[in-house]
Amino acid sequence: MNKPEANVLDRIRVVLSHTSLPRNIGSVARAMKTMGLSRLVLVNPKRFPDPEALTLASGATDILEKAEIVDTLDAGLVGCTQVVALSARRRELTVPVQNPRELAPFLLSRCMVGEDVAIVFGTEMSGLSNEEVRRCNRVVSIPANPEYSSLNLAQAVQVIAYELRMTLDTDLSHLNEVHELASHDDIERFHADMESTLIKIGFLNPDNPKRLMPRLRRLFGRVQLEKVEIDILRGMLRAAREGRRH
C-alpha cells in the first residue's frame, strides 16, 4: 500500500467502549494492524494498560502504545463527521443498517476528502447501549449466521477492517514470485530432446510416429513453461537417454 492510501486509513478510528478484558484490546490491535489501521480509542476500559493486552497484541504493541484513552464516548468522537455503530441487534429509531461491504466505499470516500471516521464497538457481553448507538449517524451489522451470530470483539473488528482494506487496495502482486519464462528456442530444444529420447527408449517409432509429438507439444503448450522448468525436463530426458545407453 502506498503512502496516500495509508494516510486514508489513518483517518479511521476504531473506538472500543467500556471493554472488560485486556486480552480483547490486544487482539483488536493485532486485527487492526494486519489491515493497516492504526488509530485505537479506548472509552473507559476496565483494565488498561495491562500485560495481557501486550501479549495478545503479538507484534502490534505500537497500536496499544499510541491508543487514546478517554472517559466518555463523546470525547473519543471529537472531530469525526462519520460515526458508525456496530450492532447485531434490531433497534428502534436508528438510521438504516448497512453491511460492511456496502458501507466501506462511502467511509473511504469521506476519508479521502479529509474527514475523520469512527467505528464504534461496544462491550463484549452486551454490545453498544441504545444511547451510544444514538450518538452515531450510521449503523453497520455483519451478516453472520442468524442462528449463531456470536462474533467476538476482535473478529468483528477484523471483518470491518478487512472490508475497508479490500475496498482500498486489492493488489497482491507483491506476493507473486517472478520467474524467467522459457524462450521459443528453449522450448524447441526441449521438444527436439524429447523426440530423440523417446526414439532412443523405444517409445516412439520414427517410421510410424502417428500424432504423438503434436499431442505432446499441445500438452506442454497449455502451460507457459519457465526456463528452470525446461532445464529440469531436459535434465530428466538426458538421464533417461544415458540410462538406456548404459
Side-chain angles (χ1 to χ4, degrees):
M1 179 175 292
N2 59 40
K3 188 61 178 173
E5 290 171 335
N7 287 339
V8 169
L9 294 178
D10 286 343
R11 292 196 168 275
I12 299 175
R13 307 178 197 178
V14 173
V15 181
L16 306 184
S17 181
H18 296 80
T19 310
S20 299
L21 302 175
R23 65 172 177 266
N24 288 334
I25 298 174
S27 297
V28 164
R30 183 175 180 180
M32 291 172 58
K33 189 166 185 177
T34 58
M35 295 296 128
L37 300 179
S38 60
R39 297 183 66 182
L40 177 62
V41 178
L42 304 175
V43 181
N44 196 22
K46 188 172 183 179
R47 287 166 45 201
F48 189 83
D50 189 278
E52 192 175 32
L54 294 173
T55 300
L56 269 293
S58 185
T61 55
D62 55 319
I63 305 292
L64 300 181
E65 290 166 358
K66 296 184 298 182
E68 180 183 357
I69 304 173
V70 295
D71 293 330
T72 66
L73 180 58
D74 288 337
L77 302 179
V78 170
C80 292
T81 60
Q82 305 299 325
V83 181
V84 183
L86 180 87
S87 178
R89 302 198 311 270
R90 180 178 298 175
R91 300 172 187 264
E92 297 180 356
L93 301 177
T94 62
V95 297
V97 178
Q98 294 177 280
N99 68 47
R101 193 159 296 178
E102 292 170 334
L103 187 58
F106 171 78
L107 296 181
L108 291 169
S109 72
R110 303 321 302 167
C111 293
M112 289 175 181
V113 296
E115 297 179 11
D116 282 356
V117 168
I119 306 173
V120 186
F121 300 80
T123 65
E124 297 93 333
M125 293 300 295
S126 58
L128 293 170
S129 68
N130 289 334
E131 182 60 32
E132 288 175 318
V133 173
R134 283 194 284 269
R135 278 174 155 67
C136 304
N137 53 22
R138 294 186 178 273
V139 176
V140 65
S141 185
I142 297 170
N145 177 3
E147 296 179 3
Y148 187 75
S149 58
S150 180
L151 288 170
N152 68 35
L153 181 57
Q155 289 172 333
V157 171
Q158 188 77 81
V159 170
I160 302 294
Y162 170 79
E163 290 297 339
L164 290 165
R165 179 82 182 199
M166 283 294 291
T167 301
L168 188 63
D169 178 22
T170 59
D171 181 20
L172 298 178
S173 60
H174 62 286
L175 299 178
N176 297 328
E177 293 186 58
V178 178
H179 298 286
E180 182 183 358
L181 296 177
S183 65
H184 172 76
D185 43 308
D186 289 332
I187 293 172
E188 290 305 311
R189 280 192 290 268
F190 162 64
H191 284 300
D193 278 356
M194 181 164 53
E195 183 173 8
S196 63
T197 301
L198 295 178
I199 292 171
K200 279 184 176 292
I201 65 176
F203 191 82
L204 172 62
N205 181 357
D207 297 324
N208 187 23
K210 297 184 179 180
R211 294 183 56 80
L212 177 61
M213 292 311 300
R215 288 183 182 278
L216 289 174
R217 183 179 284 273
R218 186 175 67 174
L219 169 65
F220 286 103
R222 284 200 290 265
V223 294
Q224 194 161 22
L225 292 168
E226 298 169 1
K227 189 176 188 308
V228 67
E229 293 169 338
I230 288 288
D231 292 340
I232 292 170
L233 290 169
R234 293 187 70 196
M236 292 167 59
L237 294 171
R238 188 182 311 112
R241 290 195 301 271
E242 292 173 353
R244 177 71 173 179
R245 188 167 59 247
H246 293 298

